[in-house]
Amino acid sequence: MTETAVYAAGGVVWRLVEGKLKVLVIHRTAYADVTLPKGKVDPGEMLAETAAREIFEETGIRVSLGIPVGVSRYRMPNKRQKIVHYWSAEATDKAIRESAFVPNKEIAAIEWVGPKRALKHLSYPVDVEILENFLRFVDDGILSTFPIVVLRHAKATPREEWNGADAARPLTARGTKQSSAIVGPLRAFGVRKIISSDAVRCVTTVTPLAAALGKPVERTPLISQEAWEEGAADARTVIGKRVRSRKPAVLCSHGPVLPDILTELALATGTLRGSYLGSASSLDVGAFSVAHLSSTNPGSGIVAIETHAPKV
């Protein structure tokens, strides 16, 4: 991120009504315009967290983020550049029923419209471009997706400073902060299943997320560094189960193991392997990559992959 730019995030919120696609647009009070829901990043937030929060604040609808659908860039009246990241986001019937939206000083109304009408009535070309990006995925048969998140554990005490078993190495103070910082963005992607290497540094990394979700941490030696070093790791079994389940999940593991996990994910989904796998697996501590798969046909390949890192 650059210091001079203003960063924001939002989404193309969608639902199916009697089999027909509808997208959500907002009518802003002060500007008398029609836009996609979005808003500025709060201090310490990661972009995905911002997108889910802003969609909820502007529409009253809690969503889980789907695939990234583009980035808009434009100059504001003060000459600063504004950079807005967008994701697709399904509004479930339950989320819509629970919405308590009422018109306010910021948002005059929210409206569900067909794609053609939305393209016609959006006030800004940058929003039209984002919606067109989303509709290209729809035309390719990709609408409902689920994420498999590959997470590298947070910062741990270095081996040379630890006298006990390697698997027992704890997180540092920075690592503890990272483990808290990733809770919001992982929740934004709808993660519900937590699988972790049985090493302390991995389990501790996902413990705050587990507490926030009220879910257990499923520990496994199959993606541990100890097993990997002994040639006994089995990422294929872990990944195969997750792809078949079609449920949003996070896998917390170690730097040396991540390339194998991403390779197995590509194999399990029929995805051509390429340099993107190396980028997605070369994670700093506390960072994660999100692989989006089709809910209806997960064997059709990784639809999109993105990488995020905490700001601590």
Side-chain angles (χ1 to χ4, degrees):
M1 292 188 179
T2 63
E3 292 297 323
T4 56
V6 174
Y7 286 86
V12 177
V13 183
W14 63 272
R15 64 188 292 205
L16 293 176
V17 179
E18 296 179 350
K20 293 184 179 180
L21 179 65
K22 302 290 183 181
V23 296
L24 188 67
V25 297
I26 62 173
H27 298 256
R28 295 196 297 181
T29 306
Y31 299 96
D33 58 9
V34 181
T35 70
L36 300 172
K38 67 179 184 300
K40 290 188 289 186
V41 174
D42 280 348
E45 268 188 336
M46 294 168 68
L47 286 163
E49 189 175 5
T50 301
R53 176 183 57 77
E54 284 289 342
I55 290 169
F56 175 69
E57 289 181 359
E58 293 193 342
T59 70
I61 300 172
R62 292 194 184 278
V63 298
S64 295
L65 303 182
I67 56 175
V69 291
V71 181
S72 68
R73 295 175 172 83
Y74 55 93
R75 292 286 173 185
M76 299 187 296
N78 63 8
K79 306 303 182 183
R80 293 182 71 185
Q81 186 181 39
K82 190 167 187 177
I83 301 174
V84 190
H85 290 249
Y86 289 92
W87 284 264
S88 71
E90 180 182 6
T92 65
D93 291 341
K94 180 176 182 289
I96 293 170
R97 287 195 304 270
E98 293 176 350
S99 171
F101 172 82
V102 292
N104 54 71
K105 63 180 180 180
E106 183 180 355
I107 309 298
I110 61 176
E111 183 180 13
W112 290 102
V113 297
K116 288 183 179 179
R117 185 177 174 191
L119 289 169
K120 181 178 179 181
H121 289 286
L122 284 168
S123 299
Y124 305 107
V126 287
D127 284 356
V128 170
E129 183 179 354
I130 294 298
L131 181 54
E132 287 175 339
N133 290 344
F134 167 76
L135 293 174
R136 276 193 280 272
F137 282 105
V138 176
D139 289 342
D140 287 339
I142 299 163
L143 186 57
S144 179
T145 60
F146 70 96
I148 292 180
V149 182
V150 181
L151 166 69
R152 184 178 180 185
H153 66 75
K155 178 66 175 176
T157 300
R159 278 190 177 187
E160 59 271 20
E161 297 176 16
W162 180 249
N163 294 324
D166 182 66
R169 279 194 288 135
L171 298 184
T172 63
R174 179 186 171 212
T176 299
K177 291 179 181 178
Q178 290 174 333
S179 69
S180 296
I182 60 177
V183 171
L186 289 176
R187 293 188 74 176
F189 285 108
V191 166
R192 302 296 295 167
K193 185 80 171 178
I194 306 168
I195 299 97
S196 173
S197 155
D198 54 5
V200 167
R201 57 192 181 276
C202 284
V203 174
T204 310
T205 296
V206 293
T207 294
L209 174 65
L213 295 176
K215 298 285 185 180
V217 177
E218 183 179 308
R219 308 178 190 199
T220 174
L222 298 180
I223 53 172
S224 71
Q225 185 164 341
E226 186 175 21
W228 181 84
E229 290 174 349
E230 295 173 353
D234 186 5
R236 177 167 298 181
T237 294
V238 177
I239 285 293
K241 185 175 181 181
R242 298 277 45 91
V243 172
R244 291 191 299 273
S245 76
R246 308 187 190 198
K247 302 291 185 183
V250 58
L251 278 61
C252 185
S253 187
H254 311 260
V257 190
L258 300 181
D260 288 352
I261 292 175
L262 267 296
T263 296
E264 291 300 337
L265 184 56
L267 288 170
T269 56
T271 308
L272 291 175
R273 283 180 282 181
S275 59
Y276 73 94
L277 287 178
S279 300
S281 62
S282 299
L283 299 177
D284 292 331
V285 288
F288 60 89
S289 290
V290 185
H292 298 272
L293 310 180
S294 167
S295 296
T296 54
N297 186 12
S300 61
I302 297 171
V303 175
I305 195 162
E306 52 183 306
T307 298
H308 300 266
K311 300 178 180 178
V312 290

